[in-house]
Amino acid sequence: MPVPRPVDSADCYLRGTKILTANGEVAIEDLRAGDRLITRFGGVRRLQWIGRQSFNGRFLGKTNAPVCFHAGSIADNVPSRDLYVSPAHSMVIDDYLVGACLLVNGVTISQTVTNKIVDYFHLDFGVHDCVIADGAWSESYAEQHNRHQFHNLAAFKAEFPDHRAVPQPYCLPQLGFGDAGLAPVRAQLLARVPAAAFTTDADVHLMVDGVRLDPTQRDAAGWMFDVPTGAVGVRLMSRASVPAMGGLNADERLLGICIERLIIVDGGITLTMEPGHPALGAGMHDPEVLRTARWTNGICLLPDLIFAGYGSATLLRLTVHGTTLARYLDADSEPSRIAV
């Protein structure tokens, strides 16, 4: 199963990536056609062309933001420094090509929104191969009727007017969603995540008018909050992890907490919202099969109607009944703790 391709983005390296050439490491933006690069299957190959793309990072969003393989996230000293690639770019792990977006765990392999200009570069040898980028084996460009995505396409057409776009075979087998080999690869990388990066604390809280509001009480049933009457834009926040990345199960969704119901009380008035209530949805996955529970993605927008229309109370008691994951990968942990 192929790796999902981000919108308008080829599989590329970020500016500053150091590529191993016959004369040592060179920043990718300083490479030129004709340079001799070290490749996995072709020995020393001459570079034919370099594809380029530039984006304003704020338009890429989270899904299309660059993926960072922190130093030592793949193996000891691999990569040798933080390596940034586009989400669908494939890394070589156990003789497989694995898309970066399939390996993000938020700690040792992270993906963060940026407002900076994102400059991507890709290396075209005329065949698909792999190069050493920041100390890690990673793919070169493969012709798959995707050259139109490069922003310097006009220069390529001028230099190679007789080029025929014939799809090139990949130099290694690819792993995608659902492939049996993906779980062992993820487990191998997960073993390199520092133990301190795992936590059982979901850190459930509210954000009200930009201010954090912690629970006033926590018991086996859930979390209780005192919320100002008439509050708008209230967000139910928590840590969130992909269970498949944390070695819990095969669920590929980003999960925060599992809500069973919301109860808000103002004196003698009680409002109960079940998981399937039509006002719920933003920041939540679809209800589970029996519609008795619903997972958030870690940032759930609560409907304003549950905090409006009450009497003279200034604070309302909101109770969130639900459960958490067995453990979370804590994105706030320090990746530099990885052994390199």
Side-chain angles (χ1 to χ4, degrees), residues 11-13 17 19 38-40 69 74 83-85 89-93 97-98 122-123 125 128-141 171:
D11 314 337
C12 305
Y13 300 94
T17 302
I19 305 296
I38 306 299
T39 66
R40 190 177 182 94
F69 286 81
I74 297 175
L83 168 64
Y84 291 85
V85 299
H89 187 96
S90 289
M91 304 297 297
V92 178
I93 302 177
L97 294 170
V98 189
H122 216 348
L123 308 172
F125 296 107
H128 190 238
D129 207 329
C130 298
V131 298
I132 298 178
D134 287 325
W137 284 111
S138 182
E139 71 173 336
S140 69
Y141 172 71
C171 62

Side-chain angles (χ1 to χ4, degrees), residues 177-178 182-183 186 242-253 255:
F177 284 114
L182 183 59
R186 284 174 162 175
V242 177
M245 292 304 310
L248 297 177
N249 56 48
D251 197 330
E252 296 283 355
R253 296 176 298 172
L255 303 183

Side-chain angles (χ1 to χ4, degrees), residues 47-126:
L47 189 59
Q48 290 189 3
W49 185 72
I50 302 175
R52 295 181 173 85
Q53 291 180 301
S54 291
F55 300 97
N56 187 319
R58 65 192 181 98
F59 294 121
L60 291 177
K62 179 64 179 289
T63 301
N64 294 330
V67 173
C68 176
F69 286 81
H70 295 276
S73 58
I74 297 175
D76 289 347
N77 206 39
V78 179
S80 54
R81 62 184 70 88
D82 290 356
L83 168 64
Y84 291 85
V85 299
S86 58
H89 187 96
S90 289
M91 304 297 297
V92 178
I93 302 177
D94 287 350
D95 289 327
Y96 287 106
L97 294 170
V98 189
C101 59
L102 302 181
L103 302 174
V104 173
N105 58 38
V107 181
T108 59
I109 303 169
S110 60
Q111 188 174 21
T112 305
V113 173
T114 178
N115 290 324
K116 297 180 179 180
I117 297 299
V118 175
D119 293 324
Y120 280 134
F121 301 80
H122 216 348
L123 308 172
D124 184 4
F125 296 107

Side-chain angles (χ1 to χ4, degrees), residues 226-250:
D226 289 333
V227 185
T229 302
V232 297
V234 178
R235 286 171 169 76
L236 176 62
M237 312 284 289
S238 72
R239 288 192 171 93
S241 287
V242 177
M245 292 304 310
L248 297 177
N249 56 48

